Amino acid sequence: EAQVTQNPRYLITVTGKKLTVTCSQNMNHEYMSWYRQDPGLGLRQIYYSMNVEVTDKGDVPEGYKVSRKEKRNFPLILESPSPNQTSLYFCASSRARTDTQYFGPGTRLTVL
Amino acid sequence: AQSVTQPDIHITVSEGASLELRCNYSYGATPYLFWYVQSPGQGLQLLLKYFSGDTLVQGIKGFEAEIKRSQSSFNLRKPSVHWSDAAEYFCAVGGNRDDKIIFGKGTRLHILP
C-alpha cells in the first residue's frame, strides 16, 4: 500500500530537549516536505526536499532542521524545542513539487 | 505572487443539501489547483485536481470543482452531502514544476442531521 508514515503520532516533551520526528514514504517520490498546521493559520511549509541531499527552507523554518540522506526518509529535527513549536506536523511526498501531495497521518507535538 | 483564499472559515449545511465551498486564487499563469479534505485526526487526502483541459473536474466521493478563470475561482461542489462529509477542506494552488503549492487556511464543514 502506498503510504507516508510518521512517528511518533503524539509527543509531549519539555523545552530544550532535542527530538526527531521521522517520515518515510514508499512511493519513490523525489519531493518531500514538512508542514505545520495551526488553528486559523492553515498549513505552513517548514522545509522541503527536491531530492536526496537537496533541502531548502519553506515559509517557517526557524527552529527546525531536516536531512535527506535516503530518498524514502525525511526526518524533522527540533534541536531545542520551545512552546511555540507546539503544533500538528505533517509530512508529505509527491513526484514533483506541484504534483499531488500524499500526506502522513500527522504528529501532534506539545512542548511544555 | 501566488495566493489562495478560502473566504469561509465555517460552513454548516443540512444532510442531503447541496454544498459549495469557495476558493479564490491568484497566479500569474495557468494554475494547478487542488482540493484536499482532512477528516478529524487524519492527514489530508486529495479530492480532485485541475492541471489543464475541461473546466469542470470530477473527484472522489461525489465532489466536483469548476475553474472560472474570469473570476479566479475554483469552487468545490457536491449535490447532496452526507454526515461523513463533515471535515475540513483545503484549496491549494501551484504552477509549473518550480513553483511550490500554497494552501488556503481551510473551511470547516459541519453537517446538521
Side-chain angles (χ1 to χ4, degrees):
Chain A
E1 179 190 356
Q3 61 181 351
V4 178
T5 57
Q6 294 178 228
N7 282 292
R9 293 289 313 278
Y10 302 91
L11 180 59
I12 300 175
T13 189
V14 296
T15 299
K17 186 176 182 181
K18 181 180 178 179
L19 66 92
T20 299
V21 184
T22 64
C23 172
S24 184
Q25 52 96 1
N26 63 0
M27 294 168 278
N28 201 36
H29 286 164
E30 292 188 353
Y31 185 80
M32 297 185 73
S33 61
W34 277 101
Y35 296 88
R36 60 178 291 174
Q37 183 180 22
D38 302 288
L41 298 178
L43 285 163
R44 293 179 294 168
Q45 191 178 56
I46 302 170
Y47 267 94
Y48 65 93
S49 170
M50 303 283 276
N51 213 326
V52 175
E53 302 292 2
V54 181
T55 63
D56 209 344
K57 297 177 181 178
D59 299 315
V60 287
E62 293 77 22
Y64 305 95
K65 286 175 57 177
V66 293
S67 69
R68 187 92 181 272
K69 294 182 170 55
E70 306 165 282
K71 198 171 189 178
R72 63 184 293 125
N73 296 323
F74 190 46
L76 179 69
I77 303 157
L78 284 72
E79 295 270 2
S80 183
S82 62
N84 64 12
Q85 293 178 297
T86 292
S87 186
L88 180 58
Y89 291 87
F90 288 101
C91 181
S93 74
S94 59
R95 289 180 302 177
R97 192 174 185 187
T98 55
D99 205 342
T100 301
Q101 307 259 313
Y102 293 83
F103 285 83
T107 295
R108 185 166 292 281
L109 172 66
T110 301
V111 183
L112 301 175
Chain B
Q2 65 192 93
S3 67
V4 59
T5 303
Q6 294 180 247
D8 304 304
I9 299 174
H10 294 273
I11 289 279
T12 300
V13 300
S14 298
E15 191 169 15
S18 63
L19 170 70
E20 183 167 28
L21 300 182
R22 295 185 292 165
C23 172
N24 297 106
Y25 65 89
S26 174
Y27 191 73
T30 301
Y32 297 165
L33 294 159
F34 307 82
W35 274 102
Y36 288 85
V37 61
Q38 183 181 24
S39 298
Q42 297 188 22
L44 280 72
Q45 179 187 17
L46 180 74
L47 281 176
L48 51 80
K49 63 183 178 184
Y50 169 84
F51 279 8
S52 65
D54 287 344
T55 58
L56 185 63
V57 180
Q58 301 296 324
I60 63 171
K61 306 183 180 185
F63 286 92
E64 66 179 26
E66 183 176 14
I67 181 172
K68 293 185 178 179
R69 292 189 182 83
S70 61
Q71 300 174 20
S72 296
S73 69
F74 188 60
N75 295 348
L76 183 70
R77 302 194 295 245
K78 186 170 185 178
S80 176
V81 297
H82 186 262
W83 64 266
S84 60
D85 293 324
E88 190 155 22
Y89 293 79
F90 292 91
C91 182
V93 64
N96 64 38
R97 290 181 67 91
D98 293 331
D99 283 343
K100 65 180 178 180
I101 291 180
I102 298 289
F103 286 85
K105 294 185 178 180
T107 298
R108 185 166 294 280
L109 175 63
H110 306 270
I111 306 294
L112 295 175

